[in-house]
Structure formats: structure tokens, C-alpha cells
Amino acid sequence: MSTMSSPEPIPPPNDRRSSRASSSAGLPVNNSLSVATEPSDLLVRRKSRLSKIPPDVHLLEYTSPPDSNLVCLICHSAFDRPVQLACQHYFCRECLVHALAAQHIEHKTCPTCRRSIDPEREPLPIPKIIETMLDELVVRCPNTKSGCDWVDQRANVHDHVMLYCEYTQVECPNHECRLAISQKDFHKGCLHYTVSCEHCHTAMMKRDLEVGCVVSVSSISCPHCAADLLRLDLKAHVKDICPKVVVPCQGAVVGCTLRAERTEVVEHERACPMATMAPHFREQQARIERSEARLEPLARKVGILEDGLSNITNMLYPANGDHSSFPVTNPLDPNNSDAFPPAPLMPTPDFRLPPASFPPVPPSNDQSQTPFTNPTQPPFDSQVHHLLTLHDTLRDEVSRIANALTDVEGRTNMMILNENQRVKDEMLHTNAAINSMRMQLHWLMSATLQQRNSAASRATGGSTSASGSGSGTQGASSSLGARGSGTLHAPIRRLSDSTRQDVKL
Amino acid sequence: MFASKRLSKELLKLQDKLPPGITLVKADNFEEWQMDIRVMDDNPLYKDEVYRLKFSFSQSYPIEAPEVTFLRTPTTPIPWHPHVYSNGIICLDLLDRQGWSPVHNVESICVSLQSMLTSNTKKERPPGDENFVRYNTQRPRDISFVFHDNQV
Ligand SMILES: [Zn+2]
Ligand SMILES: [Zn+2]
Ligand SMILES: [Zn+2]
Ligand SMILES: [Zn+2]
Ligand SMILES: [Zn+2]
Ligand SMILES: [Zn+2]
Ligand SMILES: [Zn+2]
């Protein structure tokens, strides 16, 4: 820690750029301070993630070498939060701290020109323009080697690495595993177990296997065409590219039976009508499959609906088609109170059902008039209407029952409350009675004790005069007194205990 | 950590471009490098000779000065200079604990030594050279030199 004080106010907390890039001349470089000045939402998000290491500004790679005026002479990288000395020499805050720490404790000098430093007023803040220039330097992501191709202004690198970069190393999701893993593989769980590579059969960590082993990038020649390939690509080569491997004609789906080396097949496919048809055919096939797939749930739905319908029909039309039993009153009519018997009663003839079959269909020529002209029809427009009215009646019924229930509940509650009150009152009475009894008992006890005590003191008084030894009697009487008080307390305590128990019961 | 960061930057620059008369010989790690220097003018003392410098860096380079000595090899002698002992130890305030500043670097040290040689005309060793060479067991940066003259 240096002896210099911090003359400049801390930058405003929402000014992300300045909090990261520079300024605030106070020398004591304190990382916790710079963290605290970051926007609080960032801080919270970071905490919720796993601990990541913030990017080291000194290790950043710039797309083009920074201007030599922006390079710190101590660390030889572009300034990281630079400060200025009165002699116009600039250094990274941290670099200057290190350099001055190595100097004589009383006498600090500028590392560049050796002019002595006034710890009271130096280092000075730097001009805003330098900060801006530093912020605008274009850098690559520190995880470039792992595969990130992010390139942007330096001011954003911290957020990129801490929040967005897929390649930032985080702690493994497995809590027992203390190894690091790329953010993008985090959801895959712990990859730090060994597996055997399918190319070289050596054991290696799952994480490394995802990248590829040495053997998988070693070359191999194709067994069919002898082309040189990476072992990694062999499968794909044989499947899609290799000109010598034997494949069937594309038209095989439509019926072409040709099988030959890929080059021949390609030649043949140009002429083969079945091969030209094949793509369309395949497309059709796919469409049919899709339709079938869609059809299946529909069929199931229809089945369910049919079941439901037949259930309803069965309910509506019990086997006999007794026309006379059909209700003549309209259940929707509010005046027809007879239709709704009080709730607890069983369903009445109201709910007897319409004929088991649809109304007889007259000859087709006057079919359209059927529902209205047939005088034998029940007073419903249709079966559906009947169902609806039934439904409404039932609903009314249910709401009535619900009301009745609330009523009953309220009454019960009232009753319970009253009962409770009565019990409480009674209990109070009992308590009072017990208390008075206790008082009486106490009084009796103390009276008895007093009597006994006075009798005892009379007895000891007699013995004192008899023995004539003061100290001995005092001890005796005091021990007796103690015993007396003991016997006096014990029963009372027991008594109060028992009363308490009584009260509880 | 600090040292390797900075040295890797310096190395990049040295491999890219160097002042005349200075060449990078060896830099395989961040502990010891070797550089060759030549004197560019016609000073008869150093004409047609190449001198090898050995740089040893501590973990706290550049806050701490590197240890710089001339290295005698079959092709590179130790140059004559009243501040250079015959075992290669250099008495230069720049490399001293007090004279060092972290803004110096390998290149600037080479340039300083080049000019130190260029300006010299005396073919002599520091006083007491023989004794010093025989009995000294200290490391160069632990020796407190008395700077007998400041004309360099
Ligand atoms: Zn710096
Ligand atoms: Zn200065
Ligand atoms: Zn990235
Ligand atoms: Zn793991
Ligand atoms: Zn392998
Ligand atoms: Zn092939
Ligand atoms: Zn074909």
C-alpha cells in the first residue's frame, strides 16, 4: 500500500466505462473497490453464475498494435487504468504501485525521469480522451484459443468474458469436481471422466475427446479409394463422398435395383427415370408419413368422442322408448317450481328421458319440416336443446346445494362458537373455585404450621434452659428451622403443581 | 507472472526489429537471455569484435533490475573498459539497485552498454580487478560498487 491518498472521487456507479478502463487517481489499487463501482445488476448476475476469472487487461491481444503513446513503459502493454505524474509520465496504476513499492520508502521518484513525486497530490487523473482512446482499442476475446471469435472494443471485453463468452472457464457443474469447464459445455454436466477414444482406444477425458485426439487428426487412407484423409473424417467420407464405395441408385426407393460404385451410380442416375422421380417420391412419402402421424391422434380423439356420445345416448334413452313418460314441463320455466324438488331429494320424473331413438324420420321429401310440424314431438327443439336444459337444471341444482351447504356451515360454525364460549365460561368458573379452594388450603396449612412451630419452639426453649450451651442450641434450632421451612415449602409447591394440572385439564 | 508477461512482449519486439549492432542470441525461457553487441564506430579498442551479454531475470523484473554480465566464449571476449571486470561483471549505475528503473528494458540496456563502450578510450580494467576477480563470490547485483567516475 502506498502512502498516497485518493484525491479523486470514485466514478459514478453506472459509468461502466470509466470504472473499468481507467482514472480515479488514488493510488491504493484495490480490486474490491473497482468491483464495487460496477453496476449492481451485473454484480448480481455474476454472483448467480459460477465464479469466473475476469480478463487480465495486460494479457489482451490487440487486433493491431496499440499506439506507442498508449503503451505503459513498465509492462509494455496498453495502459490499464492509467494514472499520470506531474511530469506528464503515464503508467498503469498497478505498474506504478509496483515500481514505487520497490523504491526508497521516503523518496519516491518517477520511473521514467526520476523527478521526485509529491505523494500528497500525485498521481493525477488522466485526460478523458486517453481513457476513451483506450476503451476504443479493438481486442480479441481472451478465449480466442479455445474457439471464440469475438472481436470488439476493449471496454466491452470484461462483460463479454464474464457474461456472454461461451468459452469462459467456469467451475464444473458437479460440486465434487473442482476442475474447470467451458461455459458452453456447462449444461453437459461433468465431462471430467475418462472414456476410451473410438479412434485410438486410449483413455482420455471426455472433455478433451470432444475436441478430438491426436490419432483422430492423424491421416489415414480410405480403404475404397485410397484418398488421404483425417481419421476423423473417414466415416463422413465413406458415407457421402468416396467415389469408389458401392452404393445403390437413388431410385432404389421406387424400384431401381442397380448397385455400383458411386461414380457409376452418379452417371446412371442422370439417365435413370426412377432416380429423377425419387426425390419427389421421397417428399410424398414424407408428407404421407406426416399426415399419418397427424391422423393418429385425431382417430383417437374421434374414438373418445364416440364413446362419450354413446354414453350420453345410453343415459338419455334407456332401452324402452316410452313416449308417455317424457316430461311435458319445461325445466327452464322459472314458474314451474314443481320441476325442482328440494335439494336432498332424489331426482324425480323431471329427469326422465326422451325417447330412445331419434324422432321417426318421415319420407324424405318433407324432411326439412320435420322438427316443427310433427305434433307428437316433445316440447324441445332438438335433442341438444334438451341436453342443454338438463345441464342448466343440474347447474342450478348444484348451486342451490352449494348455498345450502354454506348455510349449514355457517350455522355449525355459530353453534361451535357458542358452545366454545360456554365451555370457556365454565372453565373460568372452575378456575375461580379452585383458586379460592387453594387460598383456603393455604390458609389452613399456614395456620397448622404456625401451631406446630410454636409448639416446637416451646420444646427447644425448654431444652436450651436444660443444657445451657448457647452455640449448640443455636445450631440445633437453626437446623430445625431449616427442616421446618423445608417441610413448609414442599407441600405448598406440590399443591400448586397439582392445581396447575387441574387447570390444564 | 509479471516478469513473463513483460518479457514476452519485449521478446516479440526484439524478434521484430533491433537497433544496429544488437542481435538476439538466445531467449528460450524467461530466466536467462543472451544478446550480442557490437560497437558501431571505428573505436580501435573494440573494432571487429562482438561481445556477448547474459541477462538473468528475477521474478520481479522489471521492478527489479536484471543481472547483466559480459560472457566470455570462444568467439566473444570481455571488452576493455574501466567499469568492466575481467570476469564480465559490469559496474554501471543503470544496473544498480538505485540506478535501475522499470522503464528500462533489454534493448535500452544493450544500447546503454554500446554507448558506454563507444565513449571509452582507455584500455584498462577497474582498479583492484585481479583481487576482485579472484575473491569475489557475490552475485553482481549484491555488490555495492563505488562509482569512481561519472563520465559514462
Ligand atoms: Zn503498465
Ligand atoms: Zn517523469
Ligand atoms: Zn469470447
Ligand atoms: Zn467435472
Ligand atoms: Zn483417439
Ligand atoms: Zn474413399
Ligand atoms: Zn437407377
Side-chain angles (χ1 to χ4, degrees):
Chain A
M1 221 14 84
S2 129
T3 52
M4 304 190 181
S5 59
S6 164
E8 223 221 14
I10 293 161
N14 53 1
D15 188 353
R16 189 183 308 173
R17 284 184 142 205
S18 68
S19 73
R20 187 53 226 154
S22 53
S23 187
S24 76
L27 245 201
V29 177
N30 189 341
N31 279 332
S32 69
L33 185 132
S34 71
V35 168
T37 57
E38 270 174 60
S40 57
D41 63 327
L42 267 186
L43 209 68
V44 171
R45 280 176 74 182
R46 170 122 33 93
K47 259 183 204 159
S48 69
R49 297 276 186 106
L50 288 142
S51 58
K52 297 179 184 175
I53 303 152
D56 185 339
V57 180
H58 282 121
L59 292 181
L60 288 177
E61 198 193 323
Y62 296 84
T63 50
S64 55
D67 188 292
S68 64
N69 291 313
L70 295 179
V71 170
C72 168
L73 280 175
I74 296 179
C75 62
H76 287 203
S77 4
F79 290 118
D80 173 26
R81 290 174 295 159
V83 289
Q84 182 189 180
L85 295 176
C87 50
Q88 305 263 312
H89 289 126
Y90 291 77
F91 304 96
C92 306
R93 222 187 221 268
E94 222 168 306
C95 293
L96 186 59
V97 170
H98 281 296
L100 296 186
Q103 292 182 1
H104 191 274
I105 192 136
E106 296 279 276
H107 182 233
K108 307 282 186 196
T109 59
C110 167
T112 305
C113 66
R114 297 193 180 282
R115 194 194 54 88
S116 62
I117 292 172
D118 176 8
E120 292 299 310
R121 44 181 292 272
E122 285 176 89
L124 309 165
I126 58 153
K128 190 79 191 161
I129 182 146
I130 292 187
E131 250 174 64
T132 316
M133 286 167 78
L134 288 169
D135 278 341
E136 285 172 0
L137 291 173
V138 178
V139 298
R140 290 181 211 288
C141 175
N143 303 317
T144 300
K145 284 207 184 80
S146 321
C148 184
D149 52 8
W150 182 88
V151 171
D152 201 355
Q153 299 194 345
R154 195 177 88 167
N156 303 326
V157 72
H158 188 262
D159 284 357
H160 169 73
V161 170
M162 301 308 284
L163 300 173
Y164 307 114
C165 185
E166 294 267 86
Y167 296 89
T168 300
Q169 297 283 299
V170 297
E171 250 172 52
C172 180
N174 181 353
H175 288 295
E176 271 129 56
C177 176
R178 300 244 60 102
L179 293 163
I181 188 171
S182 277
Q183 170 82 54
K184 75 174 166 61
D185 294 331
F186 186 75
H187 66 278
K188 294 184 187 161
C190 181
L191 299 179
H192 302 109
Y193 52 91
T194 50
V195 288
S196 171
C197 171
E198 60 170 308
H199 302 294
C200 62
H201 302 289
T202 43
M204 62 194 310
M205 269 204 193
K206 179 84 171 121
R207 177 191 52 173
D208 301 324
L209 184 64
E210 306 234 323
V211 182
C213 71
V214 187
V215 172
S216 70
V217 295
S218 68
S219 63
I220 184 174
S221 59
C222 172
H224 305 287
C225 68
D228 279 333
L229 310 154
L230 296 186
R231 194 177 287 261
L232 195 67
D233 300 330
L234 183 62
K235 267 188 198 160
H237 167 81
V238 169
K239 188 166 166 282
D240 291 326
I241 301 162
C242 183
K244 295 281 179 199
V245 78
V246 174
V247 291
C249 168
Q250 291 240 1
V253 273
V254 201
C256 182
T257 50
L258 181 96
R259 283 182 68 89
E261 287 182 359
R262 192 188 299 270
T263 33
E264 268 176 58
V265 168
V266 167
E267 198 62 36
H268 157 83
E269 274 168 3
R270 258 179 234 137
C272 176
M274 287 184 261
T276 34
M277 266 163 62
H280 304 285
F281 189 80
R282 254 197 299 269
E283 200 180 301
Q284 293 292 338
Q285 190 78 36
R287 204 175 293 164
I288 290 171
E289 265 161 31
R290 272 202 303 275
S291 304
E292 268 168 7
R294 236 176 289 154
L295 211 60
E296 206 211 326
L298 287 179
R300 223 178 305 141
K301 217 182 259 176
V302 168
I304 292 168
L305 287 175
E306 265 172 357
D307 279 359
L309 193 65
S310 65
N311 276 348
I312 291 171
T313 324
N314 287 343
M315 223 160 68
L316 289 178
Y317 314 115
N320 62 335
D322 185 2
H323 281 239
S324 63
S325 69
F326 198 75
V328 266
T329 53
N330 185 351
L332 281 183
D333 184 0
N335 298 326
N336 187 1
S337 57
D338 288 349
F340 307 103
L345 297 184
M346 284 305 289
T348 49
D350 271 353
F351 296 98
R352 250 174 308 146
L353 300 163
S357 58
F358 282 68
V361 181
S364 57
N365 49 357
D366 55 3
Q367 191 181 4
S368 57
Q369 305 170 353
T370 312
F372 307 103
T373 52
N374 191 346
T376 57
Q377 278 295 305
F380 305 110
D381 288 343
S382 68
Q383 305 291 327
V384 177
H385 189 167
H386 177 66
L387 280 180
L388 282 176
T389 49
L390 259 186
H391 171 85
D392 274 340
T393 357
L394 285 172
R395 190 190 285 176
D396 285 350
E397 203 65 38
V398 168
S399 67
R400 246 206 325 267
I401 293 173
N403 282 343
L405 264 179
T406 349
D407 222 41
V408 170
E409 199 192 350
R411 245 178 291 149
T412 323
N413 272 348
M414 222 37 210
M415 220 171 71
I416 290 172
L417 272 179
N418 287 341
E419 196 64 19
N420 255 356
Q421 194 55 43
R422 215 175 48 77
V423 170
K424 266 188 204 156
D425 284 352
E426 230 156 81
M427 214 122 92
L428 272 179
H429 280 298
T430 321
N431 266 353
I434 287 171
N435 255 343
S436 70
M437 271 161 80
R438 211 180 74 185
M439 295 288 280
Q440 268 172 328
L441 193 67
H442 188 84
W443 183 83
L444 280 173
M445 281 297 285
S446 47
T448 326
L449 276 173
Q450 226 159 13
Q451 243 174 357
R452 212 186 287 163
N453 260 359
S454 58
S457 68
R458 236 177 287 130
T460 46
S463 69
T464 317
S465 58
S467 70
S469 122
S471 61
T473 42
Q474 206 146 21
S477 75
S478 69
S479 73
L480 203 147
R483 210 181 305 137
S485 68
T487 49
L488 186 99
H489 279 212
I492 283 180
R493 212 176 291 138
R494 217 179 300 137
L495 219 160
S496 71
D497 277 348
S498 61
T499 50
R500 220 178 292 142
Q501 267 172 1
D502 284 349
V503 169
K504 235 185 256 168
L505 286 170
Chain B
M1 187 58 185
F2 204 74
S4 53
K5 269 189 239 171
R6 150 101 180 227
L7 283 169
S8 61
K9 297 234 149 107
E10 281 195 50
L11 187 59
L12 271 180
K13 191 157 170 288
L14 291 182
Q15 282 163 346
D16 181 40
K17 192 165 144 288
L18 274 173
I22 299 175
T23 44
L24 176 66
V25 178
K26 186 166 147 250
D28 309 329
N29 52 40
F30 294 137
E31 275 113 53
E32 189 191 307
W33 291 3
Q34 289 183 14
M35 305 286 294
D36 275 355
I37 60 169
R38 271 180 306 126
V39 174
M40 296 310 287
D41 65 0
D42 290 338
N43 191 330
L45 272 176
Y46 308 116
K47 206 169 180 314
D48 300 328
E49 278 187 341
V50 177
Y51 308 106
R52 179 146 308 170
L53 284 167
K54 188 182 98 175
F55 287 75
S56 306
F57 305 101
S58 74
Q59 285 294 305
S60 30
Y61 176 81
I63 301 305
E64 203 173 85
E67 196 176 288
V68 187
T69 54
F70 281 107
L71 204 62
R72 193 196 304 280
T73 71
T75 52
T76 59
I78 307 284
W80 284 102
H81 191 281
H83 290 170
V84 178
Y85 289 93
S86 49
N87 58 2
I89 287 181
I90 307 163
C91 164
L92 179 68
D93 65 342
L94 180 73
L95 301 173
D96 180 66
R97 206 182 289 263
Q98 296 308 310
W100 171 255
S101 160
V103 302
H104 293 304
N105 55 56
V106 173
E107 186 187 315
S108 72
I109 293 169
C110 289
V111 172
S112 302
L113 288 171
Q114 235 181 350
S115 71
M116 178 183 96
L117 295 184
T118 308
S119 58
N120 178 42
T121 49
K122 293 178 232 163
K123 185 180 178 177
E124 49 184 51
R125 292 288 175 205
D129 176 53
E130 215 169 291
N131 272 336
F132 176 80
V133 170
R134 190 173 301 155
Y135 299 113
N136 177 53
T137 51
Q138 285 178 291
R139 299 193 53 117
R141 65 191 171 89
D142 297 326
I143 305 163
S144 48
F145 291 111
V146 183
F147 294 102
H148 8 263
D149 60 60
N150 289 319
Q151 68 194 18
V152 283

